Amino acid sequence: MRDNAKANPNTWLHILDPAFRPGEEVPPHGVIGSFRVDANGDIDERFEPNPQWRPSPKAAAMPEPETELERILQRARTGYEPGEALIRAVLNATLLVYAKSPQDRELAGFQDQVTGQILVAAASSHRYVPEAWPHSRAIAGRDLVTQLAGCPLLLNPGQKPGAVISAEHLVEAASLAR
């Protein structure tokens, strides 16, 4: 960094979010902040934080995603993907839902203790299946959407990142994708 500053006086030394590398095209929200480099190429000690910075999943210390859905969920939660991308990813994913036994094919809803609303919970991979579930079963996201009966989908219950997605948004996206 000091060599770079000496070679580039009267500039700024930008500190990048760990999702980006020097030499890459970095959007304004990918810069954590900057140090001023003076005419002698010395770095000023005062750090100027970037108010536009959005911490990436890596900067937010999110675990390495195991599935495409997890990757997009992390990026949507950090503002690096639009919410519509998450909805499409749910439709294209294989999800894990609650099952009482290995043979259970019913879709269970759970009442949210805060809002009283009935939610259908699903995990994006085995690591997010709640320990309290006796079993889980795999279901295609598109198939799950047809069974929600208006209940929102709670993705990765009790985990970060997680999400609540309205049944209406999922049904609408599924009908447009046909």
Side-chain angles (χ1 to χ4, degrees), residues 44-100:
D44 189 313
E45 291 181 18
R46 289 174 292 160
F47 179 72
E48 300 285 334
N50 176 9
Q52 294 180 34
W53 175 51
R54 280 186 257 149
S56 67
K58 194 171 199 172
M62 293 181 181
E64 193 65 33
E66 292 182 359
T67 65
E68 180 66 6
L69 174 56
E70 288 174 9
R71 186 185 73 76
I72 292 177
L73 172 60
Q74 289 180 359
R75 290 182 57 82
R77 296 297 288 179
T78 55
Y80 281 74
E81 290 278 352
E84 296 80 27
L86 177 58
I87 291 170
R88 285 191 303 274
V90 167
L91 295 175
N92 294 322
T94 298
L95 300 166
L96 299 166
V97 295
Y98 176 90
K100 292 180 222 165

Side-chain angles (χ1 to χ4, degrees), residues 1-177:
M1 288 172 45
R2 283 187 175 81
D3 291 342
N4 186 346
K6 288 288 182 201
N8 297 288
N10 292 318
T11 60
W12 289 90
L13 178 62
H14 301 297
I15 306 303
L16 304 180
D17 184 282
F20 301 97
R21 298 281 168 249
E24 291 180 349
E25 186 170 327
V26 180
H29 64 266
V31 176
I32 297 170
S34 305
F35 292 97
R36 180 88 178 110
V37 177
D38 67 19
N40 297 321
D42 294 323
I43 301 170
D44 189 313
E45 291 181 18
R46 289 174 292 160
F47 179 72
E48 300 285 334
N50 176 9
Q52 294 180 34
W53 175 51
R54 280 186 257 149
S56 67
K58 194 171 199 172
M62 293 181 181
E64 193 65 33
E66 292 182 359
T67 65
E68 180 66 6
L69 174 56
E70 288 174 9
R71 186 185 73 76
I72 292 177
L73 172 60
Q74 289 180 359
R75 290 182 57 82
R77 296 297 288 179
T78 55
Y80 281 74
E81 290 278 352
E84 296 80 27
L86 177 58
I87 291 170
R88 285 191 303 274
V90 167
L91 295 175
N92 294 322
T94 298
L95 300 166
L96 299 166
V97 295
Y98 176 90
K100 292 180 222 165
S101 70
Q103 297 77 28
D104 184 11
R105 294 291 172 250
E106 296 292 318
L107 188 63
F110 297 90
Q111 187 171 26
D112 183 294
Q113 299 301 313
V114 176
T115 67
Q117 185 176 33
I118 302 297
L119 305 169
V120 172
S124 58
S125 65
H126 287 285
R127 73 172 161 187
Y128 291 121
V129 171
E131 289 183 19
W133 289 7
H135 296 278
S136 64
R137 69 177 172 95
I139 185 170
R142 289 183 191 285
D143 294 340
L144 176 61
V145 167
T146 65
Q147 299 176 36
L148 289 175
C151 296
L153 176 66
L154 172 58
L155 191 56
N156 295 339
Q159 301 294 322
K160 292 188 181 184
V164 176
I165 306 169
S166 77
E168 294 80 19
H169 287 121
L170 289 164
V171 168
E172 180 183 340
S175 68
L176 292 173

